[in-house]
Amino acid sequence: MGRLFGTDGVRGVANLELTAELALALGTAAARGLTSPNSARRRVAVVGRDPRASGEMLEAAVIAGLTSEGVDALRAGVLPTPAVAYLTSAYDADFGVMISASHNPMPDNGIKIFGPGGHKLDDATEDRIEDLVAAGPGLRPVGSGIMRAPWTAGPRARRRRAGRHASAASRPSYRRR
């Protein structure tokens, strides 16, 4: 396998070079490489995407990889890439994932992973994630160790939730102290 990560994440023609299987493997590898399963705190990743049609498929696959490894995925919906970096920091998430090919042609898509604080991954961390993708899935959590994708952060979702909840205090908080 050649190098997956380019200058700004993993990119390719959606469903040809960047498949749902690869997105699942990247989600799994990111969860294993950027979090510790023995951590006392809840493991969390922020996931956002751009409006490309393939984004929904890739988002579902990435989230499946994350949750299968015991990481909660906070679905931020459609938003710009810098917003995922910001939310990763604001929610004190372990890492963030943005599904976007930026300025590339519409058939393309990409997966960019942000480290803690919303920072770009260094080459050594990208190499470790690539090694985990190549190694395949290891032992995964079962039962209550499987996590969820419980939240959507988009403005429409916030408006919908506002009508269902009596107050902001009744909403779940994913910000760590």
Side-chain angles (χ1 to χ4, degrees), residues 22 46 50 56 79 89 104 113 138-139 157 173:
L22 179 54
V46 175
D50 72 10
E56 292 180 21
L79 70 175
S89 177
N104 289 3
I113 302 172
L139 294 176
S173 172

Side-chain angles (χ1 to χ4, degrees), residues 96-123:
V97 179
M98 180 65 189
I99 300 161
S100 173
S102 185
H103 60 279
N104 289 3
M106 189 55 77
D108 291 3
N109 216 326
I111 298 175
K112 179 174 183 159
I113 302 172
F114 295 99
H119 298 287
K120 182 176 169 60
L121 298 180
D122 59 34
D123 289 343

Side-chain angles (χ1 to χ4, degrees), residues 31-152:
R32 291 171 65 207
L34 296 171
T35 66
S36 171
N38 300 323
S39 174
R41 69 181 208 169
R42 184 180 204 143
R43 299 182 300 152
V44 176
V46 175
V47 180
R49 65 181 177 84
D50 72 10
R52 294 169 198 257
S54 61
E56 292 180 21
M57 169 192 71
L58 296 171
E59 177 188 49
V62 166
I63 288 172
L66 297 174
T67 57
S68 75
E69 289 292 332
V71 174
D72 275 337
L74 303 182
R75 291 177 292 156
V78 175
L79 70 175
T81 301
V84 171
Y86 169 79
L87 290 173
T88 299
S89 177
Y91 284 103
D92 196 22
D94 294 286
F95 62 98
V97 179
M98 180 65 189
I99 300 161
S100 173
S102 185
H103 60 279
N104 289 3
M106 189 55 77
D108 291 3
N109 216 326
I111 298 175
K112 179 174 183 159
I113 302 172
F114 295 99
H119 298 287
K120 182 176 169 60
L121 298 180
D122 59 34
D123 289 343
T125 304
E126 288 178 350
D127 290 343
R128 187 169 68 245
I129 292 171
E130 284 192 21
D131 291 344
L132 289 167
V133 168
L139 294 176
R140 292 184 171 152
V142 296
S144 64
I146 298 170
M147 290 294 128
R148 307 183 78 182
W151 178 69
T152 302

Side-chain angles (χ1 to χ4, degrees), residues 1 4 10-28 54-65 99 107-111 133:
M1 171 172 63
L4 289 175
V10 178
R11 294 200 178 166
V13 176
N15 227 19
L16 180 64
E17 299 156 336
L18 185 56
T19 62
E21 293 83 4
L22 179 54
L24 174 74
L26 283 166
T28 300
S54 61
E56 292 180 21
M57 169 192 71
L58 296 171
E59 177 188 49
V62 166
I63 288 172
I99 300 161
D108 291 3
N109 216 326
I111 298 175
V133 168

